[in-house]
Amino acid sequence: MTLAFDSISENEAFARVAVAAFVTQLNPTLEEVADIKTAVSEAVTNAIIHGYGKEGGEIFLDMTADPAEKTLTVCVTDTGAGIQDVKKAMEPLYTTDTTGERSGMGFSFMEAFMDEVTVESEPGKGTAVTMKKHIGR
């Protein structure tokens, strides 16, 4: 399933609810749903804040469930600014935010709550964050 929505902060909650509803087909625990919602929230927030900033744009949320493997795959994609150095951006506490409002822990939270996280990005073209969660481990 693919959803597209505007990069406004109110839509972060929409993405959380959409992925929570989608994963129910795999019969997750409440803790697993909470983990997934947190990771998706971080990825969508990064797209809004760092991908587009004040310019705005569209965010894509792709969700795939594999019932045989009991695996959820979620990809959050934007066509915004992109990331210059993905490896550096994924370091805990690293942030490009100069206001002091951001902690630089988004990717760390995604990695803590999901089983796999990969990031593909190209400056000026956008970022795709793909996350996998195995349900019922």
Side-chain angles (χ1 to χ4, degrees), residues 79-101:
T79 57
I83 302 171
Q84 286 283 62
D85 185 344
V86 171
K87 185 176 178 184
K88 181 79 173 163
M90 292 183 76
E91 291 178 6
L93 304 177
Y94 177 81
T95 182
T96 58
D97 178 56
T98 57
T99 67
E101 293 180 24

Side-chain angles (χ1 to χ4, degrees), residues 29-85:
T29 65
L30 290 175
E31 182 178 354
E32 288 167 332
V33 172
D35 289 352
I36 293 162
K37 287 170 61 176
T38 299
V40 167
S41 177
E42 293 295 334
V44 170
T45 298
N46 276 356
I48 293 168
I49 301 293
H50 301 291
Y52 293 115
K54 292 181 178 16
E55 293 176 20
E58 198 166 36
I59 296 172
F60 302 91
L61 178 64
D62 296 296
M63 300 170 282
T64 306
D66 182 341
E69 296 291 323
K70 292 202 65 144
T71 301
L72 172 74
T73 302
V74 178
C75 185
V76 176
T77 306
D78 68 70
T79 57
I83 302 171
Q84 286 283 62
D85 185 344

